[in-house]
Structures are given as structure tokens and as C-alpha cells.
Amino acid sequence: MEQEHSEPVPAEQVAALRRFNRYFTRRIGALDDHYLGQDRPLGEARLLFEIESGDAESGDGVSLRELRSRLGLDAGYLSRMAKTLEAQGVVRVSVDPDDNRLRRVALTAAGRVEIKEQNRRANALAAGLLDTLSEPQRTELTRAMATAQRLLRLAAITVALVDGAAQDARACLDAYAADIGARFPEGFDKSDLVRPREVTGDAGAFFVAYEEGRPMACGALRTLEPGVGEIRHVWVHPDARRLGLARRILAELERAAVAHGFDVVRLDTHAVLTEAQAMYRACGYTEIPAYVDHVYADHWFEKRLAGAR
Amino acid sequence: MEQEHSEPVPAEQVAALRRFNRYFTRRIGALDDHYLGQDRPLGEARLLFEIESGDAESGDGVSLRELRSRLGLDAGYLSRMAKTLEAQGVVRVSVDPDDNRLRRVALTAAGRVEIKEQNRRANALAAGLLDTLSEPQRTELTRAMATAQRLLRLAAITVALVDGAAQDARACLDAYAADIGARFPEGFDKSDLVRPREVTGDAGAFFVAYEEGRPMACGALRTLEPGVGEIRHVWVHPDARRLGLARRILAELERAAVAHGFDVVRLDTHAVLTEAQAMYRACGYTEIPAYVDHVYADHWFEKRLAGAR
DNA sequence: CGGAACCTTTGACTAAAGTCAAAGAAATAT
DNA sequence: ATATTTCTTTGACTTTAGTCAAAGGTTCCG
């Protein structure tokens, strides 16, 4: 688990968040949800929307199972709603070809028309709201919302210490390997990934960042030699980049390193990962000569840890 | 009614607003509403909250009538909910002393305790969210939310041409007079306000800005001499200042002046209203010699209108 | 192969949220 | 003073949203 930081949140900032939350949900948020549902109960509208976005992602339909977990609905309730939507002709329910227990739900043409119309209305509503503002004001608003959203996302992400053999850990490492493999001219061999044992217990640490339950970033710490830790596999999901998440993972790893009694941490990185190098420098890492001969490494960094005894 | 501006809203800005709206209402807004209701159905929780805020405003309770219009509830539904809350001991319902048809609802001590506890939880939740951010990030978030809120408020305000004798117009002018009277060392005499006839039809115009149905700002245009209009009584409610509303009223008045065939508009202002003077200058007004001998005027401005024939 | 785990459907409920209309009491308009 | 309007209450609904458990197919695992 994450260590708690000592500085308390100023009451004024808490009040500002609540004030904004109240204003936004009462005034603006209502725009979408209320008027948008039109003739459809909210539950059905939400379901339809979720089917649409799942459908768009994966091509041919979403399974009831996935909808259930995404919307947190009761199986019976969902089953009935799906049936209602099918009776109305907006979705088609079929048996999953790969697993006959599952049902896949996909939009029909009529369903797509309805979604499109809903989107048209929502856009018109939003445009109507923005219309009274001048262009510079709209630009300012857009920028402010983007900033707020970025920071709120970051705030909602939690970083957890997990076992190096845990499924989420391996999933992150697989994604990391695939990602890196595509960027390195020489590819990447999975056998170079840390072994679960290296990053567990006294030997090291493995952190995974979760956004709404999904693993979105990771980072590993292992023992290089007595008193020296090595940071490896700092990776952030493409959808969660530019939030400042890598820095948080790094900070977590450094805290863990201090807790493990390391005085110094080292890491290596590849020439093509220029953003990563910039980040390490900005976080207090200094370039050092090669401490190990890795196939994939061109640059080596080190940081002396302040908190170490 | 407001003239529509010609420039259309860029699709990217509409998408940004909708993206933010979706993210915020699903993720953050849920924080408050869901968990906050605790043991209470949402409808009751909302009602209790509305009673609290109405109570805090006006001292001794809110009428059912007002609650009904604020929350948009059915009379029967509201009556029953109020009764439920009374049975639970969190509110007290009494007959309005001034109008025996009305019922006033006020929180009991137990009700106040519950609200307080709810606030405590909501604050803890918000603080927990902000806690993961660093201080500079929190400051940035707070600033971004304040900007977004200011602009969204401004966007939600509509400016309408109203009859100078309309109730909202007179209410604004009364507030204006009281406001000005308190700021001018010599006070202010209501007989100096424009007459309804001066600002109606061909003679002039009167605009009122509405936020959620409440009049929040006004401005008048009258005929000074043929081809010359005079702008008077530009006023913004204290709760709506620093939004840029005065500029919008001014722009509306100028548009009306062009439509009335005025080539130029003039206005006078008092020495103590320094912000107003700065605004007029920033909006293209230039200082001129006195064009009329008003008791309350120290500075006179004029603007030649571009759109005039 | 047999049992455990999984996914969905169905039946039988409940609580919340809301609608509609009739009726009574009080205030306002004529 | 009488009619009309306003505000609330009450009874009699309906729809939405959701829960729980039993049961019937499928797939997975040993």
C-alpha cells in the first residue's frame, strides 16, 4: 500500500472541489443525463450507451458478463433489460461462438440510429451552452477542463504494492514488453523481464497503478548488490500517459528502496526513450557509466536516496 | 432576445465539454451523491439538503412551495416526503404565519446533526481524493476548477430584452439604487432612475441577465438626442461579479444602439466606480467633457459605434 | 468422466420515485 | 360575498430499479 504523505489537504481546496462538484453536477451534468434519456429509462439508456461503446471497441458486440461488471448490475436485472432492448429492436442478443455460456449483445441499425440521434442532441446542447461565450473564453474553458480532468484522473489512480507473480503484474509486464519491443529497433526478448522472486519480499518490490480497477502502470525494484537497488520496467499504459503517473510510480519505488535499506538506486534505459531520460534527470537522477552490460541499455542513471540511514 | 453570433462553436470544443462532463459525472460526481445518501433514499437526501440551504438563507425555514419549484417535484410526492422526514425527527413542519396555505419546513437539531455528519463525510471523501496529489498539483486543480466554473456560469447566463416596466427590471433597478446609494458618499435618489417609457420600444432598450431564472444583472439604453444613445444603470448582482457579465450587458446594449440607429453612445459614471471606468475604457470608450450636468457624475464617456449606418 | 465453477434465465419479491386527480382550506380578485 | 386561484393533503395508481434464490446449460479441471 501507499505510504500516506504528512501534509494535510487545506480546507479551502476541499471546499473548492466540493463547490465545483456541486455546481457541475446540478447545473451542467444534468444537461446530458436528464434530457438525453428522452423516452428511455436511465438504466436502459446507460446500458445502451455501454453496449455502443463496447461494440465500437471490439467489433462484434459485448458480452453480458462484461456489461455486468462494467455497470455493476445484477445478472437477473441485466438479463431482463437486455431482453427489453431486444424486444424494442435496438439490440440483437446472440450466443458467443467461443463460449456458449456467454451472450453477446450488439446494436442493430435502429440502435445505432438512436445513439446517433442522442449524440446529436447532446452536441447541440453543449454547443448551445458554449455559444454564448467568446472564442477566447471557450478556449480558456476547454483548457481549464482538460487540466482539471488530467489532475482528477491522476488523483483517482491508486498505486499498490503487488506480488511480482500476480496476474496484474504479469499483464503489465507483457504490455511493457510488447510496447518496448515495438519501439526498440532490435525488438525485446521477454526473458529479460524480472523474475517474480526478484521483486518480492526482502528482495525488491513491484507496484501497479490502478485506475478504476484496471492496471495502468507498473514499476519494479530489485536488489542489484547489497545496499544498491535497481529500478526496472517503469511503464505507463498509452491511455494514461502525460498525467504524471510515471513520477508517482518512481516516487513509490524510491520509498520502497529506502524501506529496503538501499542507499542508492540505479537504472538503465534505451536511447530511443528520450522522454524517460528527461524524467529521470528531472527527478534527481544523474547519468553514470555502465554498471551492467545489458543488450537494451545505452544510458545508466543513479540516485542517492536522502531518506536512507 | 439575444442576437445570435455568427461564429459556430468548433466541434473539438463541444467534444471537450462532453468528454469532461462524462468523466466528471461518472467518476467524481458519484462520490458525493452515492455514498453521501447513506441510509437515506436519494430523494429524501436531496430534499433535506435543499431544506438546509434554504433554511440557512432565510432564517426560519423554507416553504413547500419553494422546495417544489426548486426541485421540480410533484406536490403530493413532496408532501409525503416532508411527512416522512418529520416522522424521523429531522425536520419540523409548521404553518406559515403570513399565509396559512403555506407550510414552512425547518431543520430540527437532529437534522442539523445529520447534515453536519454528511458534510464531514463528503469533506473526508474530497480530501481523500486530493490527498494523492502534490501541493502544486492541488493548487493547479483548484485554479482550473475555478476558471471552469466561472466560465460555465457565464455561459449559462442568458440576457433578455425586457420591458422597462417589467417586475424583473424594477427589481434590478431597486437593487442597483440600493447598491449605488451605499457606495456614493452623497447617497442616491431613486427619482434619478430611468422611466420605463424611456427604455422601451423605439426610445431605448432594457436588458436583464438571468441565471437559473433569477435576474442577476441589467443595463438600460435611452435616447439622449437624435442619433445619440445613453447607456445607464449597468449593474451586476454581487454574487455574479467578476464573471465578465457587465461586458456582455454592454455588448448587448451596443447592439441595441446600432439597431436603434444611434451612431454614438454616451454614459456617465461616478468617481468611486473605478472598476466600471476601467471596463468602459477597455471596451473602447473614450473620456469626453460633460454632456449633461448630473449630480452623481464625475466622468463622461463616449463610443462611436462601428456597425451604425 | 464427474464435479466444480461459470453464465444466464426465470420467478418472486421490495423499495424508491413519481403521476394523477379529487378535495379541502386559505387567500385574492371581481 | 362569491368566484377563482393557490397550496397542500390524500388515495390510488405506475414505472423504475433493484435483490435474491433456484435452476438449467456450458466449460474447466483433476
Side-chain angles (χ1 to χ4, degrees):
Chain A
M1 279 294 114
E2 223 158 337
Q3 259 95 340
E4 62 270 35
H5 320 203
S6 53
E7 13 149 355
V9 181
E12 173 45 38
Q13 293 178 350
V14 171
L17 173 56
R18 291 200 59 207
R19 198 160 50 232
F20 182 76
N21 186 12
R22 203 168 320 145
Y23 180 77
F24 197 84
T25 50
R26 310 268 143 163
R27 295 278 98 229
I28 316 298
L31 281 184
D32 246 56
D33 277 346
H34 265 239
Y35 293 85
L36 215 72
Q38 336 187 173
D39 292 332
R40 204 174 272 299
L42 225 98
E44 275 176 36
R46 273 206 292 254
L47 178 55
L48 202 60
F49 179 84
E50 206 62 41
I51 291 170
E52 197 269 344
S53 58
D55 205 354
E57 256 174 51
S58 68
D60 66 344
V62 210
S63 65
L64 284 186
R65 177 166 162 277
E66 193 164 338
L67 289 170
R68 197 146 47 81
S69 81
R70 277 211 227 177
L71 293 167
L73 294 174
D74 174 81
Y77 185 29
L78 176 59
S79 172
R80 258 180 276 255
M81 273 207 289
K83 198 179 265 183
T84 308
L85 290 179
E86 191 174 29
Q88 291 170 353
V90 289
V91 305
R92 198 179 313 103
V93 181
S94 58
V95 175
D96 188 301
D98 298 333
D99 184 340
N100 285 319
R101 291 172 303 182
L102 269 66
R103 300 286 173 278
R104 314 209 114 252
V105 191
L107 287 184
T108 61
R112 267 188 293 274
V113 166
E114 183 175 326
I115 291 272
K116 212 163 191 171
E117 170 62 14
Q118 262 190 29
N119 266 319
R120 208 191 50 72
R121 288 189 195 212
N123 282 337
L125 220 59
L129 188 74
L130 293 175
D131 188 47
T132 40
L133 296 179
S134 68
E135 176 55 35
Q137 286 173 327
R138 286 196 303 253
T139 304
E140 194 184 358
L141 174 60
T142 303
R143 207 187 306 273
M145 287 190 304
T147 301
Q149 192 169 351
R150 176 172 63 79
L151 290 166
L152 286 168
R153 271 188 77 186
L154 186 59
I157 291 174
T158 57
V159 177
L161 179 67
V162 305
D163 191 287
Q167 201 196 314
D168 291 339
R170 297 329 287 184
C172 280
L173 288 180
D174 285 349
Y176 165 80
D179 215 359
I180 285 291
R183 293 180 77 180
F184 288 1
E186 66 272 33
F188 183 83
D189 182 5
K190 279 199 180 183
S191 67
D192 194 51
L193 293 174
V194 293
R195 311 264 163 269
R197 186 160 305 167
E198 293 181 279
V199 295
T200 304
D202 287 343
F206 198 95
F207 289 98
V208 172
Y210 292 93
E211 181 176 34
E212 297 169 41
R214 284 166 159 46
M216 295 301 265
C218 71
L221 173 74
R222 69 183 195 102
T223 305
L224 194 60
E225 56 190 72
V228 181
E230 186 184 29
I231 285 173
R232 301 202 62 198
H233 309 328
V234 173
W235 171 80
V236 178
H237 190 288
D239 292 349
R241 292 194 183 148
R242 314 223 47 87
L243 296 178
L245 194 46
R247 280 165 194 258
R248 246 178 86 195
I249 293 276
L250 196 59
E252 220 58 66
L253 288 167
E254 289 173 11
R255 244 195 296 269
V258 171
H260 277 76
F262 298 138
D263 303 313
V264 61
V265 284
R266 295 185 185 146
L267 57 87
D268 62 38
T269 184
H270 191 285
V272 303
L273 303 174
T274 52
E275 335 81 82
Q277 286 162 45
M279 181 193 72
Y280 291 127
R281 272 183 241 275
C283 288
Y285 285 74
T286 50
E287 194 152 4
I288 53 168
Y291 61 86
V292 65
D293 189 22
H294 249 139
V295 200
Y296 308 109
D298 305 303
H299 295 270
W300 295 264
F301 290 89
E302 168 178 296
K303 183 179 186 178
R304 198 148 288 278
L305 298 171
R309 283 158 295 174
Chain B
M1 279 295 112
E2 221 157 336
Q3 260 93 340
E4 61 271 34
H5 320 205
S6 52
E7 13 149 354
V9 180
E12 172 45 36
Q13 292 177 351
V14 170
L17 174 56
R18 290 199 60 205
R19 199 160 47 232
F20 182 76
N21 186 13
R22 203 166 321 145
Y23 181 77
F24 197 84
T25 50
R26 311 267 144 162
R27 294 275 96 232
I28 316 299
L31 282 183
D32 247 54
D33 278 347
H34 265 240
Y35 292 86
L36 215 73
Q38 346 184 166
D39 291 331
R40 204 173 271 300
L42 225 98
E44 275 176 38
R46 273 206 292 253
L47 177 55
L48 201 60
F49 179 85
E50 206 62 40
I51 293 170
E52 197 269 345
S53 57
D55 204 355
E57 258 173 49
S58 68
D60 65 345
V62 211
S63 64
L64 285 186
R65 177 166 163 276
E66 193 164 338
L67 289 171
R68 198 146 46 81
S69 81
R70 276 212 228 177
L71 292 167
L73 295 175
D74 174 80
Y77 185 30
L78 176 59
S79 174
R80 259 180 275 255
M81 273 208 289
K83 197 177 266 185
T84 308
L85 289 178
E86 191 174 28
Q88 290 170 353
V90 289
V91 306
R92 199 180 312 102
V93 181
S94 58
V95 175
D96 188 301
D98 299 332
D99 183 341
N100 286 319
R101 291 172 303 180
L102 271 65
R103 300 286 173 276
R104 315 208 113 252
V105 192
L107 287 184
T108 62
R112 266 188 294 275
V113 166
E114 184 174 325
I115 291 272
K116 211 163 192 170
E117 169 62 14
Q118 262 190 28
N119 267 318
R120 207 191 51 72
R121 288 188 196 213
N123 282 338
L125 221 57
L129 189 72
L130 293 176
D131 188 47
T132 41
L133 296 179
S134 68
E135 175 57 34
Q137 287 173 327
R138 287 197 303 254
T139 304
E140 194 185 357
L141 174 60
T142 303
R143 205 187 307 273
M145 288 191 304
T147 301
Q149 191 169 351
R150 175 173 62 79
L151 291 167
L152 286 168
R153 271 189 76 187
L154 185 59
I157 292 174
T158 58
V159 177
L161 179 68
V162 304
D163 191 286
Q167 201 196 313
D168 292 339
R170 299 328 287 185
C172 279
L173 288 179
D174 285 350
Y176 165 80
D179 214 0
I180 285 291
R183 293 181 75 179
F184 289 180
E186 67 271 34
F188 182 84
D189 182 5
K190 279 201 182 182
S191 68
D192 194 51
L193 293 175
V194 292
R195 310 266 165 267
R197 186 160 306 166
E198 293 181 278
V199 294
T200 304
D202 287 342
F206 198 95
F207 290 98
V208 172
Y210 292 92
E211 181 175 34
E212 298 169 40
R214 283 164 157 48
M216 294 301 267
C218 71
L221 172 74
R222 69 182 196 104
T223 305
L224 195 60
E225 57 190 69
V228 181
E230 185 183 30
I231 285 173
R232 299 202 64 198
H233 308 329
V234 173
W235 171 81
V236 177
H237 192 287
D239 292 348
R241 291 192 184 150
R242 314 223 48 87
L243 296 179
L245 195 45
R247 280 165 193 256
R248 245 178 85 194
I249 294 277
L250 196 59
E252 220 57 65
L253 289 167
E254 289 173 11
R255 245 195 294 269
V258 170
H260 277 76
F262 297 138
D263 304 312
V264 62
V265 284
R266 294 183 185 148
L267 57 88
D268 63 36
T269 183
H270 192 283
V272 302
L273 303 175
T274 51
E275 336 80 82
Q277 286 163 45
M279 182 192 71
Y280 291 128
R281 271 184 243 275
C283 289
Y285 284 74
T286 50
E287 193 151 4
I288 54 168
Y291 61 84
V292 65
D293 189 24
H294 248 140
V295 199
Y296 307 111
D298 305 304
H299 295 271
W300 296 263
F301 290 89
E302 169 178 295
K303 183 179 187 178
R304 196 148 291 275
L305 297 172
R309 282 158 296 174

